[in-house]
Amino acid sequence: MSIISDMSQSPDIKTVVEMNHHKIEELYEKNWPELVSFVQVRMQSSREYAEDIAGDIFLKAMVGAKTYQEQGFSTGWLYTIARNHMIDVFRRNSAAKRAGVGPDVFA
């Protein structure tokens, strides 16, 4: 039985966040190795850099979990966040190259 069905009214925000973080943790455990490999191949990067990017992706997922509808977290949702984040990283790195500075300036 879910926490929501046990309550007579809508759960408070703390309960929702706790539920979502538990689901994010499950998503992390299930998808971490594949996500790192996905990022590494797509970005043609080292394993360490791919792990950094994948960590950023999971941070974005945790932030997004606070407002995500209770439709359930999915691998597709996570990979959409990953794709969008990698596009942002490519844009930031391209802007840095055009400006003749390191990408850390735009971080």
Side-chain angles (χ1 to χ4, degrees):
M1 188 175 277
S2 74
I3 294 172
I4 294 176
S5 62
D6 293 339
M7 302 176 136
S8 60
Q9 48 183 294
S10 297
D12 63 6
I13 189 67
K14 182 178 178 185
T15 303
V16 171
V17 169
E18 287 172 2
M19 288 170 32
N20 287 344
H21 281 286
H22 176 69
K23 291 178 182 180
I24 291 291
E25 184 177 339
E26 289 175 8
L27 198 62
Y28 175 87
E29 290 172 2
K30 178 181 172 186
N31 292 288
W32 176 257
E34 293 85 8
L35 182 64
V36 171
S37 295
F38 174 76
V39 170
Q40 185 176 8
V41 169
R42 290 291 175 114
M43 297 191 74
Q44 300 177 352
S45 65
S46 69
R47 179 87 179 163
E48 293 79 19
Y49 187 69
E51 288 176 350
D52 287 345
I53 297 297
D56 293 343
I57 291 164
F58 272 101
L59 285 174
K60 284 188 173 191
M62 288 176 62
V63 170
K66 294 178 183 177
T67 58
Y68 192 74
Q69 298 297 319
E70 191 57 39
Q71 299 166 351
F73 297 100
S74 69
T75 302
W77 174 72
L78 181 64
Y79 278 78
T80 298
I81 293 170
R83 184 197 68 214
N84 292 339
H85 184 69
M86 287 187 294
I87 290 169
D88 291 343
V89 170
F90 281 126
R91 286 180 182 156
R92 187 172 52 237
N93 290 343
S94 293
K97 285 180 185 176
R98 284 192 307 272
V101 296
D104 294 336
V105 171
F106 294 99

